[in-house]
Structures are given as structure tokens and as C-alpha cells.
């Protein structure tokens, strides 16, 4: 059996670090993954999917410390469904990505000038 997901996208909000009653840290954040395609008549369209991501323990602390809204990341993990009851008493199902690996894809600026003109780099293309 295999349950694996790999995503590249941008954080939709800052990670929120929380601690379970047993002391285990975890963080939650949303990830926007976009794709561009052309319709049958040649019109260019963009579609964005949103994923809820959960990281645990040391990975959670690292995400909370270094990531922020807009950060570009590669996430590898598994999908998990959980049921919960909302504040109106309705049973709902949430699908989350449980992260096992997070790689930061934003280029680290080497100077103040680079910081102002930094661009997002595609991790699958050779550096220029």
C-alpha cells in the first residue's frame, strides 16, 4: 500500500505552532498549489488547489520558525482524513497533508539589493 503526496506551492498563511497536552508540538498551515493550462480555444487559465498541512515535532518547530505567508515550499507526506463535529453539531470530514519532509524553495538573498529584486526559482530547472 502507498499513501504519498508531493506538492510545490506557496503558504496561504503563517504557520501556527501549538502543543498537545502531552507536550508534542505541531503546526498547521495552508498551501496553495497552482497550475496553468490552455482551454480548447487557446485561452490561458490558472487553477489553484488549497491543501491543509500539518507538521509534527521538530519539523513543526522548523516550519514555524522559518516559514511565513507566501513562502515557496516543497512538501512531501501522506493524506489523512479525520472526522470532527463543528460548532453547529454537524459532523464533517477534513483531509490534511501530514508532512514528513519540507524543503524551503525561496532563494536566500545574498544582499539587500538581491532581497528587493529576488525571484522565485523553479527547483527543477538548472540555476542560472
Amino acid at each position: 500500500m502507498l499513501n504519498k503526496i508531493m506538492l510545490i506551492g506557496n503558504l496561504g498563511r503563517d504557520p501556527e505552532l501549538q502543543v498537545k497536552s502531552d507536550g508534542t508540538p505541531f503546526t498547521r498551515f495552508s498551501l496553495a498549489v497552482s497550475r496553468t493550462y490552455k482551454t480548447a480555444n487557446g485561452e490561458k487559465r490558472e487553477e489553484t488547489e488549497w491543501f491543509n498541512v500539518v507538521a509534527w515535532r521538530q519539523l513543526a518547530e522548523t516550519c514555524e520558525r522559518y516559514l511565513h505567508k507566501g513562502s515557496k515550499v516543497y512538501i512531501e507526506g501522506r493524506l489523512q482524513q479525520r472526522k470532527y463535529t463543528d460548532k453547529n453539531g454537524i459532523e464533517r470530514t477534513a483531509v490534511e497533508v501530514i508532512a514528513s519532509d519540507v524543503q524551503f524553495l525561496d532563494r536566500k538573498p545574498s544582499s539587500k539589493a538581491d532581497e528587493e529584486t529576488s525571484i522565485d526559482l523553479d527547483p527543477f530547472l538548472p540555476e542560472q
Side-chain angles (χ1 to χ4, degrees), residues 80-86 90-96:
Q80 175 179 288
Q81 291 185 31
R82 65 178 172 85
K83 294 191 183 298
Y84 68 97
T85 304
D86 71 10
I90 300 170
E91 190 171 293
R92 305 229 182 237
T93 301
V95 177
E96 299 170 323

Side-chain angles (χ1 to χ4, degrees), residues 51-77:
F51 295 86
N52 293 316
V53 179
V54 181
W56 292 90
R57 297 174 184 78
Q58 182 65 38
L59 186 57
E61 293 172 346
T62 302
C63 288
E64 192 271 337
R65 186 174 305 124
Y66 295 107
L67 296 178
H68 54 83
K69 181 178 178 178
S71 294
K72 188 173 190 174
V73 295
Y74 165 81
I75 306 268
E76 190 170 308

